[in-house]
């Protein structure tokens, strides 16, 4: 009964609605109920720092990004804090083993570091330790990472996922010149070159540069079989690393080309009946071969994400959906406590070692399969998240949502680049930017727009017909006062005319003010007046300390903008005075909290606070009663629907 109770707590919003709970959340509920304190397998094995934990925690982080539910974040933090000491050392981690599997949990370290938490420097120090391992990791003559020190001269497909996504994100955060992206891209290039089969396009599990291993072909050094999970690791690594390699990097296209060359080869071996993939990829129907969960989940994830981000053609999305449906039919079971379980994940697959693994067909089929093996559960959760995103109505397709950084142009000390050599006190833009993942940014809201099919952009200059030409939704938020920026860019009459003309032609304008002490109202109101709105010189919903009820705003049923939201939190805001064409959309007592206006072919949305930044949407600041994350999704959907083709 305890498990059932825990599941009820996790199901959103209640067990009575369990049928509508996405599979990513169902499977995460199973993991959190099974391992409430530390992730470890049953049978008494001591929990330790390893890639399986890292994989699952990264998957759960994606569920947090998808829901804004802080329980998922708190679970990841709790698990990592079991290992990371205050001085940045990692319990049970041994750098001297040069095991590339140990790098994988570093992705959660970087996420925690970026969230501006107390004691966050310990996560940076721990990440630095893993980066030190990569700097010293033994390499092949070309420069490819050995899989482990105990496997000399060998590159395995698995290792690309174990190291490269962390390596790429670390480089983006801390490497001021980005030189390490060359090394990261080379790892994929060398792995493909040394393991690819020209006939099938598939990749062999491992490659031995020395040709000394009994499993290695004496001429090529390749292992003898195609293992689905090994190729799944490589595919997931490709789509994840591309999140961090700059769009302007001259060799980024090499990774996309490898993905576009590799995934069609994988698709050819999808079982047409089940939609899943076999343990040994190219031997469908052969004696002893079976449909395997982890490889299938990894392929589904890579395919769906690759399509979503435009690396792969739309024709591959039905392949991914068929694979996910196949997983539900062939691998998912439910126990008496209504917890979901993943079946048929092979326990392990390796090469060499003691006892010796010869990479034969018979070897791969001899390994045990296990329920809820983390190497299957993690990819299943991530695949589910991608399929959920794919199922969203793409109301933003072909649309661009841009946030202004001209009127709001704040800077802070670059917190990540503590090792910069180009002078002290270097500054970076922040506050209401898409890139800012800390509480001050719009990163989560930007993710929502992207999930709905829109592109996000920034307008760093004064608004003109040219700068707004390809923008469908333009967000002006909290224009600067001299207190925030030494020389603010005030909204000028020319700016007002350019924006008004753009709205009349069909643009969708979002005006987010702030309380009177933190927002430049005079010039903002000159713009707002064009649409029958004025931000008033008073503050409402003033909140003392953590008395969150003082910031409560109720959304009436059947509200056109917020159909799925009932209660939100908006504190210390400026109410709005309206006249035609403006109309009240949300009120509290006698104050207009949110207003809209139809002007020409365009639409204006106005609110007296920038209430959808990360601090108030990621679930960690305010009680779960307040549905700001869902409100952000509702608003994004509504704004995109107001745009014209």
């Amino acid at each position: 009964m305890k498990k059932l109770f825990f599941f009820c707590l996790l199901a959103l919003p209640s067990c009575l609605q369990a049928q509508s709970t996405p599979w990513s959340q169902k499977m995460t509920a199973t993991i959190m109920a099974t391992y409430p304190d530390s992730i470890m397998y049953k049978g008494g094995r001591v929990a330790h720092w390893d890639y399986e934990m890292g994989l699952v925690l990264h998957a759960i982080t994606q569920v947090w990004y998808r829901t804004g539910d802080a329980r998922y974040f708190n679970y990841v933090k709790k698990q990592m804090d079991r290992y990371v000491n205050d001085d940045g050392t990692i319990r049970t981690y041994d750098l001297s083993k040069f095991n590339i599997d140990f790098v994988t949990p570093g992705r959660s370290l970087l996420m925690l570091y970026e969230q501006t938490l107390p004691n966050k420097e310990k996560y940076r120090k721990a990440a630095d330790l893993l980066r030190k391992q990569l700097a010293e990791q033994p390499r092949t003559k070309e420069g490819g990472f050995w899989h482990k020190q105990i496997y000399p001269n060998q590159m395995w497909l698995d290792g690309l996922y174990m190291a490269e996504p962390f390596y790429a994100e670390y480089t983006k955060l801390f490497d001021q010149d980005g030189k390490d992206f060359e090394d990261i891209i080379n790892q994929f290039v060398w792995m493909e070159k040394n393991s690819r089969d020209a006939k099938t396009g598939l990749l062999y599990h491992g490659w031995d540069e020395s040709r000394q291993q009994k499993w290695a072909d004496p001429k090529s050094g390749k292992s003898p079989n195609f293992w689905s999970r090994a190729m799944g690791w490589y595919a997931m690594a490709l789509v994840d690393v591309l999140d961090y390699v700059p769009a302007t990097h001259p060799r980024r296209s090499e990774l996309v080309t490898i993905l576009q060359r590799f995934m069609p080869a994988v698709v050819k071996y999808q079982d047409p009946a089940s939609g899943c993939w076999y343990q040994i990829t190219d031997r469908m129907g052969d004696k002893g071969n079976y449909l395997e969960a982890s490889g299938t989940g990894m392929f589904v994830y890579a395919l769906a994400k690759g399509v979503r981000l435009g690396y792969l053609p739309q024709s591959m999305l039905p392949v991914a959906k068929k694979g996910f449906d196949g997983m539900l039919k062939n691998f998912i079971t439910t126990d008496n406590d209504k917890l979901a379980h993943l079946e048929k994940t092979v326990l392990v697959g390796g090469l060499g070692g003691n006892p010796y693994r010869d990479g034969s067909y018979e070897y791969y089929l001899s390994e045990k399969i296990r329920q809820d093996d983390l190497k299957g559960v993690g990819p299943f959760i991530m695949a589910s998240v991608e399929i959920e995103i794919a199922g969203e109505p793409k109301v933003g397709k072909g649309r661009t949502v841009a946030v202004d950084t001209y009127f709001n142009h704040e800077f802070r000390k670059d917190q990540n680049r503590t090792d910069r050599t180009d002078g002290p006190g270097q500054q970076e833009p922040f506050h209401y930017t898409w890139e800012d993942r800390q509480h001050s940014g719009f990163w989560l809201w930007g993710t929502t727009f992207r999930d709905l099919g829109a592109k996000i952009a920034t307008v760093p200059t004064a608004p003109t017909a040219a700068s707004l030409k390809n923008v469908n939704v333009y967000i002006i938020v909290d224009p600067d006062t001299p207190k925030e920026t030494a020389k603010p860019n005030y909204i000028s009459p020319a700016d007002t005319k350019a924006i008004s003309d753009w709205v009349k032609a069909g643009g969708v304008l979002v005006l987010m003010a702030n309380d009177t002490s933190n927002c430049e109202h005079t010039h903002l109101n000159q713009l707002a007046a064009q649409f029958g709105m004025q931000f008033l010189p008073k503050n409402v919903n003033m909140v003392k300390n953590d008395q969150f009820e003082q910031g409560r705003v109720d959304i009436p049923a059947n509200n056109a903008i917020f159909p799925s939201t009932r209660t939100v939190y908006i504190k210390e805001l400026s109410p709005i005075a309206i006249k035609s064409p403006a109309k009240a959309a949300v009120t509290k007592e006698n104050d207009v909290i949110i207003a809209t206006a139809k002007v020409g072919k365009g639409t204006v949305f106005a609110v007296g606070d920038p209430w959808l930044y990360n601090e108030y949407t990621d679930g960690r600041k305010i009680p779960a009663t307040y549905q700001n994350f869902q409100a952000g999704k509702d608003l994004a959907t509504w704004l995109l629907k107001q745009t014209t083709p």
Side-chain angles (χ1 to χ4, degrees):
M1 292 301 294
K2 289 183 179 179
K3 281 189 176 181
L4 178 58
F5 176 71
F6 194 90
F7 177 76
C8 291
L9 288 177
L10 289 172
L12 300 176
S14 72
C15 283
L16 295 176
Q17 296 176 320
Q19 292 301 312
S20 62
T21 302
W23 282 104
S24 61
Q25 295 175 43
K26 290 182 182 181
M27 190 58 69
T28 299
T30 298
I31 293 301
M32 293 171 69
T34 305
Y35 308 111
D37 297 315
S38 63
I39 293 179
M40 58 177 286
Y41 285 122
K42 296 177 181 178
R45 195 180 86 176
V46 176
H48 63 284
W49 182 267
D50 70 0
Y51 72 96
E52 298 182 47
M53 174 191 71
L55 171 66
V56 169
L57 294 184
H58 180 70
I60 294 174
T61 298
Q62 305 315 301
V63 181
W64 175 46
Y65 293 156
R66 178 78 181 148
T67 62
D69 188 330
R71 288 173 294 182
Y72 301 122
F73 169 86
N74 292 334
Y75 183 79
V76 174
K77 183 178 183 298
K78 179 180 180 180
Q79 298 295 323
M80 295 303 287
D81 284 345
R82 284 181 50 83
Y83 296 95
V84 182
N85 300 314
D86 289 343
D87 62 358
T89 56
I90 303 172
R91 187 175 61 83
T92 78
Y93 168 75
D94 185 352
L95 185 152
S96 67
K97 291 184 177 180
F98 292 105
N99 183 341
I100 211 162
D101 292 345
F102 291 163
V103 177
T104 314
R107 302 182 76 178
S108 293
L109 294 176
L110 296 177
M111 182 276 290
L112 291 170
Y113 173 79
E114 286 190 272
Q115 296 303 323
T116 319
L117 296 162
N119 303 317
K120 71 169 188 168
E121 284 304 319
K122 74 175 186 178
Y123 303 116
R124 168 68 192 270
K125 291 175 181 177
D128 289 346
L129 185 60
L130 300 182
R131 178 64 184 85
K132 183 176 187 291
Q133 177 185 326
L134 293 180
E136 300 174 4
Q137 187 82 7
R139 294 174 180 247
T140 65
K141 294 176 182 177
E142 272 181 318
F145 291 131
W146 288 7
H147 192 64
K148 300 179 184 179
Q149 185 165 262
I150 61 172
Y151 298 136
N153 308 303
Q154 299 169 41
M155 292 184 72
W156 295 9
L157 294 173
D158 320 30
L160 276 295
Y161 185 84
M162 303 306 154
E164 307 314 321
F166 165 81
Y167 191 6
E169 185 173 4
Y170 185 99
T171 300
K172 182 178 180 181
L173 284 172
F174 305 125
D175 182 358
Q176 60 189 12
D177 58 14
K179 60 181 175 56
D180 288 328
F181 284 120
E182 285 285 325
D183 189 26
I184 293 163
I185 292 168
N186 281 336
Q187 300 297 321
F188 288 95
V189 171
W190 293 329
M191 189 74 249
E192 188 204 34
K193 176 175 71 73
N194 292 317
S195 68
R196 186 172 187 269
D197 175 62
K199 181 179 179 181
T200 63
L202 300 177
L203 306 180
Y204 290 102
H205 184 181
W207 173 71
D208 175 18
E209 180 182 46
S210 71
R211 277 68 166 173
Q212 296 300 307
Q213 290 295 314
K214 289 184 289 184
W215 53 258
D217 181 272
K219 292 184 178 180
S220 68
K222 298 171 183 175
S223 61
N225 278 289
F226 304 115
W227 182 34
S228 287
R229 183 155 81 213
M231 289 188 286
W233 288 124
Y234 186 82
M236 292 201 304
L238 276 168
V239 294
D240 282 7
V241 161
L242 282 164
D243 290 343
Y244 308 111
V245 178
T248 56
H249 195 283
R251 296 186 62 198
R252 176 185 167 89
S253 62
E254 292 182 45
L255 296 181
V256 177
T257 299
I258 291 173
L259 184 70
Q260 292 173 343
R261 183 162 51 232
F262 178 49
M263 295 315 295
V266 168
V267 167
K268 290 179 182 178
Y269 292 95
Q270 183 181 37
D271 177 47
S274 68
C276 301
W277 279 264
Y278 279 84
Q279 164 77 339
I280 300 300
T281 316
D282 64 328
R283 298 184 63 172
M284 292 186 288
D286 282 6
K287 183 178 180 180
N289 206 4
Y290 58 91
L291 300 174
E292 198 276 329
S294 65
T296 298
M298 291 174 178
F299 290 148
V300 170
Y301 170 73
L303 286 165
K305 184 174 180 179
V307 171
R308 174 169 65 86
L309 296 176
Y311 311 137
L312 298 174
Q314 283 291 324
S315 60
M316 288 191 175
L317 183 58
V319 177
K321 290 181 176 179
K322 183 177 181 178
F324 189 72
D325 289 343
M327 294 192 77
L328 299 181
K329 293 176 183 177
N330 291 279
F331 304 140
I332 296 296
T333 60
T334 304
D335 65 19
N336 292 334
D337 290 336
K338 308 300 183 184
L339 290 173
H341 297 284
L342 184 72
E343 312 291 343
K344 297 183 181 179
T345 298
V346 65
L347 176 63
V348 70
L351 298 164
N354 185 21
Y356 197 82
R357 299 167 294 184
D358 63 4
S360 65
Y361 179 76
E362 291 73 20
Y363 158 69
Y364 284 108
L365 299 183
S366 71
E367 293 287 6
K368 296 179 180 179
I369 60 175
R370 179 163 53 190
Q371 183 188 69
D372 294 341
D373 186 279
L374 301 182
K375 298 179 288 295
V377 167
F380 175 81
I381 292 171
M382 294 191 293
S384 179
V385 167
E386 286 296 333
I387 295 299
E388 292 160 25
I389 294 172
E392 296 274 14
K394 293 299 180 278
V395 293
K397 185 177 181 180
R399 308 294 197 268
T400 296
V401 181
V403 66
D404 158 74
T405 58
Y406 180 73
F407 303 119
N408 182 275
H409 195 56
E410 296 180 69
F411 286 82
R412 66 182 171 203
K413 185 177 180 181
D414 190 335
Q415 300 177 17
N416 294 334
R417 304 290 171 79
T418 57
D419 57 347
R420 294 186 73 138
T421 59
D422 51 349
Q426 296 301 316
Q427 300 290 298
E428 65 174 357
F430 89 112
H431 226 179
Y432 317 125
T433 68
W434 300 130
E435 296 78 17
D436 187 355
R437 296 194 182 205
Q438 297 180 12
H439 268 171
S440 49
F442 269 154
W443 184 78
L444 267 180
W445 200 29
T447 298
T448 296
F449 280 112
R450 290 193 299 267
D451 289 351
L452 293 170
K455 294 181 180 179
I456 58 174
T458 296
V459 179
T461 61
T464 63
S467 66
L468 297 179
K469 180 179 180 181
N470 297 314
V471 174
N472 302 99
V473 179
Y474 179 42
I475 303 169
I476 298 176
V477 52
D478 189 20
D480 293 337
T481 65
K483 179 179 69 174
E484 298 161 313
T485 303
K487 296 181 179 180
N489 295 314
Y490 295 132
I491 298 174
S492 70
D495 300 329
T496 294
K497 184 178 187 308
I499 295 170
S500 298
D501 290 346
W502 174 80
V503 170
K504 292 173 184 176
V508 176
L509 175 66
V510 177
L511 298 177
M512 288 184 163
N514 208 332
D515 61 87
T516 53
S517 64
N518 287 300
C519 179
E520 200 286 313
H521 278 197
T522 301
H523 297 86
L524 176 63
N525 272 334
Q526 291 172 9
L527 171 62
Q530 307 303 307
F531 316 114
M533 304 173 182
Q534 288 285 281
F535 293 101
L536 296 175
K538 73 172 187 175
N539 300 326
V540 300
N541 274 23
M542 303 303 290
V543 177
K544 184 177 181 180
N545 299 323
D546 290 337
Q547 297 181 39
F548 295 106
E549 184 66 21
Q550 295 173 343
R552 180 181 179 123
V553 175
D554 292 316
I555 307 294
N558 302 315
N559 185 279
I561 302 173
F562 303 105
S564 305
T565 308
R566 290 294 169 266
T567 305
V568 297
Y569 180 80
I570 314 178
K571 72 165 187 173
E572 300 173 18
L573 63 104
S574 297
I576 306 168
I578 59 173
K579 64 180 182 180
S580 183
K583 297 180 180 180
V586 175
T587 61
K588 181 177 180 180
E589 298 173 353
N590 296 320
D591 291 314
V592 176
I593 306 299
I594 296 174
T596 63
K598 288 289 186 180
V599 181
K601 297 180 180 179
T603 304
V604 180
F605 173 96
V607 61
D609 189 77
W611 59 300
L612 293 178
Y613 53 105
N614 300 335
E615 184 174 5
Y616 296 109
T617 57
D618 74 6
R620 292 191 289 137
K621 175 75 172 182
I622 59 178
T625 303
Y626 302 105
Q627 300 170 286
N628 284 30
F629 181 89
Q630 182 60 44
K633 185 173 181 178
D634 280 350
L635 177 57
T637 301
W638 183 83
L639 291 171
L640 291 168
K641 286 182 176 179
Q642 308 312 303
T643 62
T644 55

